[in-house]
Amino acid sequence: MSTIEERTDPIDVAAVKADFPLLAREIKGRPIVYLDSAATSQKPRSVIEAMTGYYETINANVHRGVYEIAEASTNALEDARAATARFIGASSPNEIVFTKNATEGLNLVARSWGGANLRSGDAVLLTQLEHHANIVPWFQIAAEKGVEIRWIPLTADGKLDLTDLDRLLDGVKMVGLSAMSNVTGTLTPVRRITDAAHAAGALVSLDACQFVPHLPTDVAKLGADFASFSGHKMCGPTGIGVLWGREALLDAMPPFLGGGGMILDVSLDGWIPADLPAKFEAGTPPIAEAVGLHAAIDYLSGIGMDAVRRHEVTLTGYALRTLRERFGDQITIHGPSEPAERGGVMSLAMEGIHPHDLAQVLDEHAVCIRPGHHCAKPLMKVLGVGATARASFYVYNDETDVDALAEALDAAAGFFSF
Amino acid sequence: MPGLEDLYREIILDHYRNPRNRGELEAPPATRVEGFNPLCGDEIVVYLDVDDDGTIADIRIGGQGCSISQSSASMMSAAVKGKTVREVQALTRAFKGMMSIHESSLDGEADADSEAAEEAAADEVRLGDLEALRGVVKFPVRIKCATLSWNTLAQGLAEAAEAG
């Protein structure tokens, strides 16, 4: 993959930046340097306008309405579903369940699939770099069912240590796997793990929250059985997430939430669930958000996900070089050292400066990074830290943002020099 | 606009670099209690030795965190050592008042009179070095850092009272 970095950057970042109204604003009299896209991305004008346009022209509840705007609203929701399916290579829109966020998708799999299929004595295999969203739901169901939780350990540079994978998979029914760490940026060998899991009779629920916004995604090639991601990390709005699952698996699973929209029939004696995907979408769905997500997918597709990935590999490489050259032993950058093995997320540690204090000084320089445990406390323990300072890049960041980060880190080092 | 110098006063950085009463006490007989800031992962461990007459005979602080949480814990340990539980409770109220946290107003309708009375009482408590943390209130996200050790101490005092 080293050839990727050598190609010229095909993205006109200045033009991309101009598509994002928020990036034009100033903080404390300086242009904003937004380096927190792993938490949430900024939104292009086209997404904001699509949602406003929805509310101004076709806002109506979906399904069952026979009047014109209700039909238009229903079509907008289903168009968004179809666009999402195409974007990730799903074989049918029926495999796309709209959720509140990735967390809900991961919970849905644990509760619905786990509730129906896990038995006492079964095991669930997780990795030590999982986000709490792919840990806690499994702890919850494991406690109810008497299921054992196992962990894939990490190597010193923050990659998965697969030495004992076959032994760890023995007796496992489900693997919870992050495709890309939200802390170290580590890209995991998804295909290798899904192949091994399937050979051992286990399924794989992928946390693709950091992956789908940043890399070309083809769920068939990844080989997972479920994948969850959030709209707001991929230029879309908050309040909508996606669970993709193999149709046969989703079909066989019991509904998660009960209510309107998810039934075929309800009588005084009971109820019959609706078909996919309605079965998993109780209540009024996030319609305007689906319209926004559709616009976000169109926006990213317009740039091209291959180009997005190439841009981030180049920028991450520049950031790693810049920070190492400038700060040497003073800085620790967690995770893989090769840009090709990671996404544009980097957790930093500056010697003698706590991440909270670092982020506070960076804020004075209008540099937005995030300190904390990033909802990955088991990983923090493995890394031997309580928190990290995380900078994360997206398609609208460029070398000037990295330079601003380096300048601000320099100022912080000066401020806290003992 | 508040500047960094409002937050990072020299005395705060001094307590951060040279924390007072850092370490452990054997528990039991001492009371050991942990506090977490779930937002940022800061952890404070407070070890308390409360005399039969209700005096804090000794205190030690463990854990890890940012300069604000660690210096606040250090200053707190120095401020409460040798004080009675009652005095510490008044000090805690005064400190939280400085952080714009008024326990009475958390129960719903703020009672202006009792709040004012409480503030007046709290005003009489000498905060000493703790005054240096007053600037934190201008950085609302960091208030939880400054109050973590105090909440942990309150929990420890409650547990010590129960055990006693």
Side-chain angles (χ1 to χ4, degrees), chain A residues 354 356-357 360 364 373 386 418, chain B residues 8 17 38 40 65 67 139 142:
Chain A
H354 189 275
H356 260 203
D357 296 317
Q360 192 82 58
E364 288 294 302
H373 55 59
F418 294 168
Chain B
Y8 296 116
R17 291 164 200 168
C40 60
S67 62
F139 298 82
R142 306 302 291 276

Side-chain angles (χ1 to χ4, degrees), chain B residues 102-123:
Chain B
H102 303 283
E103 307 281 313
S104 59
S105 64
L106 297 177
D107 302 329
E109 293 280 307
D111 182 335
D113 287 344
S114 71
E115 204 170 282
E118 196 178 279
E119 265 173 35
D123 281 347

Side-chain angles (χ1 to χ4, degrees), chain A residues 52-246:
Chain A
T52 304
Y54 164 81
Y55 281 124
E56 287 180 349
T57 58
I58 59 166
N59 175 54
N61 212 331
V62 292
H63 309 311
R64 296 178 307 282
V66 293
Y67 50 91
E68 187 171 317
I69 59 170
E71 197 180 327
S73 175
T74 303
N75 289 342
L77 177 70
E78 296 310 319
D79 286 351
R81 196 187 307 280
T84 306
R86 285 193 298 276
F87 190 65
I88 63 166
S91 46
S92 155
N94 282 343
E95 296 188 330
I96 303 297
V97 177
F98 285 134
T99 59
K100 184 171 66 180
N101 45 36
T103 295
E104 187 185 318
L106 294 166
N107 273 269
L108 194 161
V109 174
R111 287 275 145 190
S112 172
W113 183 90
N117 293 285
L118 289 175
R119 302 278 175 271
S120 176
D122 289 343
V124 168
L125 180 60
L126 307 175
T127 82
Q128 289 184 343
L129 49 69
E130 294 310 303
H131 186 282
H132 295 165
N134 211 13
I135 296 175
V136 178
W138 294 113
F139 272 135
Q140 288 176 307
I141 198 81
E144 282 173 28
K145 298 271 184 177
V147 166
E148 180 195 353
I149 303 281
R150 293 181 199 157
W151 300 92
I152 297 178
L154 299 184
T155 61
D157 59 347
K159 293 189 247 181
L160 296 183
D161 179 354
L162 299 180
T163 317
D164 282 336
L165 182 61
D166 289 337
R167 191 181 56 78
L168 283 168
L169 276 168
D170 186 37
V172 165
K173 292 288 186 294
M174 176 62 80
V175 178
L177 173 65
S178 167
M180 176 179 143
S181 164
N182 70 312
V183 176
T184 59
T186 306
L187 289 165
T188 61
V190 175
R191 186 64 201 224
R192 187 176 159 199
I193 293 170
T194 54
D195 284 347
H198 291 155
L203 300 181
V204 177
S205 175
L206 205 60
D207 174 357
C209 209
Q210 300 290 340
F211 188 94
V212 171
H214 300 280
L215 289 95
T217 304
D218 182 338
V219 289
K221 280 189 188 153
L222 288 170
D225 302 284
F226 302 98
S228 299
F229 53 100
S230 290
H232 71 94
K233 292 194 205 292
M234 51 188 286
C235 298
T238 55
I240 188 165
V242 175
L243 166 67
W244 165 83
R246 293 184 191 280

Side-chain angles (χ1 to χ4, degrees), chain A residues 28 352-354 356-357 360-361 364 372-373 377 385-387 415-418, chain B residues 1 4 7-8 13 16-17 36 38 40-42 64-67 139 142 145:
Chain A
K28 299 177 172 74
I353 311 177
H354 189 275
H356 260 203
D357 296 317
Q360 192 82 58
V361 178
E364 288 294 302
H373 55 59
K377 287 196 86 171
V385 296
F415 189 86
F416 283 102
S417 63
F418 294 168
Chain B
M1 194 193 305
L4 286 179
L7 185 63
Y8 296 116
L13 295 177
Y16 181 46
R17 291 164 200 168
F36 298 93
C40 60
D42 284 2
Q64 52 165 1
C66 67
S67 62
F139 298 82
R142 306 302 291 276
C145 307

Side-chain angles (χ1 to χ4, degrees), chain A residues 262-393:
Chain A
M262 53 72 72
I263 52 89
L264 191 64
D265 188 31
V266 179
S267 68
L268 294 179
D269 300 320
W271 60 285
I272 303 169
D275 292 334
L276 288 176
K279 180 168 85 171
F280 290 113
E281 294 182 354
T284 296
I287 311 163
E289 289 76 8
V291 169
L293 177 62
H294 191 170
I297 285 171
D298 286 348
Y299 183 80
L300 289 171
S301 301
I303 296 170
M305 290 308 295
D306 284 314
V308 170
R309 171 61 181 156
R310 276 200 299 276
H311 171 69
E312 291 184 22
V313 169
T314 306
L315 190 58
T316 302
Y318 177 75
L320 290 169
R321 281 194 305 277
T322 303
L323 298 180
R324 283 193 191 119
E325 276 167 21
R326 187 146 177 178
F327 299 103
D329 293 342
Q330 220 182 340
I331 199 167
T332 304
I333 303 170
H334 297 288
S337 52
E338 286 300 316
E341 295 178 329
R342 61 185 299 154
V345 174
M346 49 183 64
S347 271
L348 314 170
M350 290 288 282
E351 199 185 348
I353 311 177
H354 189 275
H356 260 203
D357 296 317
L358 194 61
Q360 192 82 58
V361 178
L362 264 53
D363 177 56
E364 288 294 302
H365 294 256
V367 175
C368 310
I369 65 156
R370 184 161 296 254
H373 55 59
H374 315 296
C375 297
K377 287 196 86 171
L379 176 55
M380 292 292 115
K381 198 149 199 169
V382 172
L383 296 176
V385 296
T388 71
R390 183 185 70 184
S392 50
F393 308 125

